[in-house]
Amino acid sequence: MMVGAFVWGGLADRIGRRQTLLISLSINSVFAFFSSFVQGYSSFLFCRLASGVGIGGSIPIVFSYYSEFLAQEKRGEHLSWLCMFWMIGGIYASAMAWAIIPHYGWSFQMGSAYQFHSWRVFVLVCAFPSVAAISALTTMPESPRFYLENGKHDEAWMILKQVHDTNMRAKGYPERVFSVTTIKTVKQMDELVNMSESAAWHEKWRLKLSSVFHQVWKNFLTVFSPEYRRTTYMMMAVWFSMSFSYYGLTVWFPDMIKYLQKQEYASRTKVFVKEKVEHVTFNFTLENQVHRQGQYFNDKFMNMKMRSMVFEDSWFEECYFEDITSSNTFFKNCTFIATLFYNTDLFKYRLINCKLINSTFLHNKEGCLLSDISDENNAYMVYFVSFLGTLAVLPGNIVSALLMDKIGRLRMLAGSSVISCVSCFFLSFGNSESAMIALLCLFGGISIASWNSLDVLTVELYPSHKRTTAFGFLNALCKLAAVLGISIFTSFVGITKAVPILFASGALAAGSFLALKLPETRGQVLQ
């Protein structure tokens, strides 16, 4: 997403908002579809990487594209309503995960090599909104501001006339005629104008691509020109501090909840020592147990699930394992003599420092499995928490939309950041699962107003010919800060809550202070 934001944001100022948005959404859709079906880890990783490049481009483009159709007096409000659809997409994703992923029975397989599990259905379903967006976007016109910046006056005139006529009909004045008094004249650029007619097609395309990327890079450098340097540096600091704290905390929250769940789950573990079992058939679920120094002779483990099972220093002789599905299950320092493993997922990495004497593995289960979820109820809880956290930002979205054009962008940004900073300190009092969920919802609902203000401010601080370039660069910096924040915050899970809270509070305080140094853009015409 970081790469996509930078690349597509720069290209949108050169080849157009609509066209670039269509390309980035298409890349996301195609690779999201493929990632649902590929079997290898490396190919899956590549598909998700390519899909992320597409996703990253859509964010900076869509805000710039939409803002260039909006009236000055309602721009902040309508851009805030647009931000709400980020929340709606999050609700859709978390609801689909909650409804689909825990249904392990939805899986099927073709032989031992191809398996399709419920999580793959979820990945596929998450690509549907992007496909719908592409279909709708094909009916939309290009931004008239982009056309004017590139000297395409006739195309811009037609779109502006369509906007004017639509607005006048809605206001009850269909007879009003669209007219233009002044127009900005810009020389239309054509990279191929100096190419001879006999030039090969690949030479033309090479020159065209070279010229486009040269102009994109030149556009990026102008963001740091003396006219915009101070604004860019200040925006970089605000974006970085906001992203570092927000993404760090929102990923840290679920990890803390999972840690609390694991602590509670571990407290219910049953321990068996020096048990001796002979000629017994196990065909039921074994869960959350530790067996130490056990002896198993001529036992059968068939058609069963093993969840959070640990066998330590145990002896298995002439045993038979068939159709075993396991999660978080390990054999440590065990000895297997004349034992057969048939159609199981007990791979060699689950056998730690074990001795295998005359033992055989046949037809191992293959493919990507949900092998680390020890409790289905816990799995539901994770998706439910994500759903609640996303839904909690609804009040903040509504408030920011209604007040954005009344109190201004800077007051909204700084005020929300200060309140978010204060709410961080309440996190230290969350010692239970329900308390952590409530605090997650509180923090998300307050901080969303900061993000909405920041998006509106970024759009309005830069002129049309470098708007998506600047937004794309700042959004790429946001993803870099998110990676850094997630890496730092999650390293303290189970160790301390004080350090993540102090980091997040400090970053939010710095962001709110720097935000007040930015120029106010409420009531200004887009540059």
Side-chain angles (χ1 to χ4, degrees):
M1 291 178 70
M2 180 176 66
V3 173
F6 183 80
V7 172
W8 297 117
L11 285 173
D13 277 332
R14 180 63 192 94
I15 65 177
R17 282 81 160 110
R18 177 179 173 274
Q19 183 176 348
T20 313
L21 189 56
L22 280 170
I23 296 172
S24 63
L25 288 173
S26 300
I27 291 174
N28 172 35
S29 301
V30 169
F31 285 99
F33 177 81
F34 284 138
S35 66
S36 179
F37 294 94
V38 296
Q39 293 292 299
Y41 177 72
S42 57
S43 54
F44 175 79
L45 197 63
F46 171 77
C47 287
R48 296 314 304 169
L49 180 69
S51 176
V53 171
I55 295 171
S58 62
I59 299 169
I61 300 171
V62 75
F63 278 97
S64 302
Y65 180 51
Y66 187 44
S67 70
E68 292 170 0
F69 284 94
L70 295 175
Q72 170 185 325
E73 64 274 8
K74 288 286 187 178
R75 191 189 307 125
E77 177 184 337
H78 287 293
L79 285 174
S80 298
W81 293 129
L82 176 63
C83 294
M84 186 177 289
F85 283 85
W86 178 272
M87 176 205 70
I88 294 173
I91 291 174
Y92 172 81
S94 55
M96 291 300 101
W98 186 18
I100 294 173
I101 294 179
H103 291 282
Y104 310 117
W106 289 10
S107 62
F108 68 89
Q109 63 185 56
M110 299 170 61
S112 60
Y114 189 87
Q115 300 193 16
F116 195 92
H117 297 278
S118 57
W119 68 266
R120 295 180 179 276
V121 179
F122 166 70
V123 173
L124 186 62
V125 167
C126 281
F128 291 167
S130 187
V131 175
I134 293 170
S135 302
L137 197 60
T138 55
T139 65
M140 293 289 292
E142 179 57 88
S143 164
R145 283 180 176 271
F146 170 76
Y147 277 147
L148 289 174
E149 287 291 342
N150 288 272
K152 299 181 179 180
H153 303 134
D154 293 341
E155 293 89 336
W157 188 89
M158 292 298 294
I159 296 170
L160 290 172
K161 182 179 185 304
Q162 182 183 352
V163 172
H164 171 272
D165 294 345
T166 302
N167 289 341
M168 290 303 104
R169 283 196 300 270
K171 293 179 178 179
Y173 304 105
E175 71 281 358
R176 291 277 179 92
V177 178
F178 176 66
S179 61
V180 175
T181 54
T182 58
I183 193 166
K184 178 181 177 181
T185 303
V186 181
K187 181 181 178 182
Q188 187 169 356
M189 301 187 68
D190 187 355
E191 305 85 0
L192 308 183
V193 69
N194 295 323
M195 294 288 290
S196 64
E197 292 294 330
S198 60
W201 66 269
H202 58 84
E203 282 294 322
K204 292 182 178 181
W205 274 103
R206 186 188 64 79
L207 181 63
K208 185 177 181 69
L209 290 175
S210 174
S211 176
V212 166
F213 282 106
H214 176 73
Q215 291 168 35
V216 167
W217 180 249
K218 184 179 178 182
N219 228 21
F220 169 69
L221 294 180
T222 59
V223 172
F224 292 92
S225 62
E227 183 180 0
Y228 298 101
R229 185 180 300 155
R230 181 181 180 277
T231 298
T232 299
Y233 285 141
M234 296 291 287
M235 290 297 290
M236 286 173 63
V238 176
W239 271 91
F240 189 92
S241 61
M242 285 284 299
S243 183
F244 178 82
S245 57
Y246 178 80
Y247 285 102
L249 282 179
T250 52
V251 173
W252 178 68
F253 264 110
D255 282 354
M256 279 297 297
I257 290 172
K258 284 190 282 187
Y259 174 76
L260 293 173
Q261 288 175 340
K262 287 180 180 179
Q263 291 287 93
E264 193 274 334
Y265 189 73
S267 68
R268 295 187 279 113
T269 302
K270 296 180 181 180
V271 181
F272 301 86
V273 181
K274 294 183 178 180
E275 60 182 354
K276 189 173 183 179
V277 183
E278 298 181 358
H279 311 293
V280 174
T281 298
F282 296 87
N283 56 4
F284 49 86
T285 298
L286 293 176
E287 182 176 3
N288 201 15
Q289 298 175 6
V290 176
H291 296 258
R292 296 190 179 120
Q293 300 176 9
Q295 295 183 11
Y296 304 89
F297 178 76
N298 198 21
D299 295 319
K300 294 182 178 180
F301 301 81
M302 302 177 64
N303 303 314
M304 61 180 297
K305 293 181 179 179
M306 292 183 177
R307 294 176 181 160
S308 297
M309 294 293 297
V310 178
F311 295 88
E312 297 179 350
D313 303 307
S314 298
W315 182 280
F316 295 85
E317 186 173 353
E318 296 184 14
C319 292
Y320 180 68
F321 293 82
E322 180 181 353
D323 196 16
I324 305 296
T325 301
S326 63
S327 62
N328 199 27
T329 296
F330 298 96
F331 297 82
K332 301 178 180 179
N333 303 314
C334 296
T335 301
F336 296 89
I337 300 175
T339 297
L340 176 63
F341 297 86
Y342 182 84
N343 192 31
T344 73
D345 63 358
L346 300 176
F347 304 114
K348 293 293 180 68
Y349 74 88
R350 296 190 184 275
L351 279 59
I352 302 172
N353 296 327
C354 293
K355 294 181 180 179
L356 296 171
I357 303 172
N358 295 328
S359 298
T360 307
F361 289 83
L362 294 176
H363 301 288
N364 282 350
K365 294 180 184 288
E366 296 182 9
C368 300
L369 304 173
L370 285 172
S371 58
D372 293 323
I373 296 178
S374 56
D375 188 340
E376 289 186 17
N377 292 328
N378 286 354
Y380 276 108
M381 180 56 71
V382 170
Y383 307 129
F384 178 62
V385 168
S386 177
F387 178 81
L388 279 181
T390 309
L391 188 62
V393 305
L394 178 60
N397 266 314
I398 295 174
V399 169
S400 66
L402 296 178
L403 297 181
M404 188 70 71
D405 288 314
K406 291 181 173 61
I407 68 174
R409 287 73 162 127
L410 295 188
R411 290 181 181 176
M412 179 72 70
L413 174 58
S416 176
S417 297
V418 168
I419 300 173
S420 299
C421 177
V422 173
S423 71
C424 280
F425 288 102
F426 290 102
L427 302 180
S428 57
F429 302 105
N431 294 319
S432 66
E433 198 172 293
S434 57
M436 295 295 287
I437 294 171
L439 291 168
L440 166 67
C441 295
L442 175 66
F443 178 77
I446 294 172
S447 60
I448 192 63
S450 300
W451 283 110
N452 294 357
S453 308
L454 195 57
D455 290 333
V456 176
L457 200 61
T458 305
V459 163
E460 295 177 336
L461 279 174
Y462 294 93
S464 296
H465 66 282
K466 57 173 67 70
R467 181 168 294 123
T468 58
T469 300
F471 205 129
F473 165 67
L474 292 170
N475 202 257
L477 183 69
C478 164
K479 303 310 177 204
L480 181 63
V483 172
L484 184 63
I486 290 169
S487 302
I488 293 175
F489 282 46
T490 53
S491 64
F492 290 99
V493 172
I495 300 174
T496 178
K497 290 192 291 185
V499 174
I501 291 171
L502 287 174
F503 277 169
S505 300
L508 287 169
S512 60
F513 173 76
L514 293 171
L516 292 174
K517 304 294 183 180
L518 290 165
E520 177 61 77
T521 57
R522 179 179 54 157
Q524 294 184 7
V525 178
L526 279 182
Q527 297 182 54

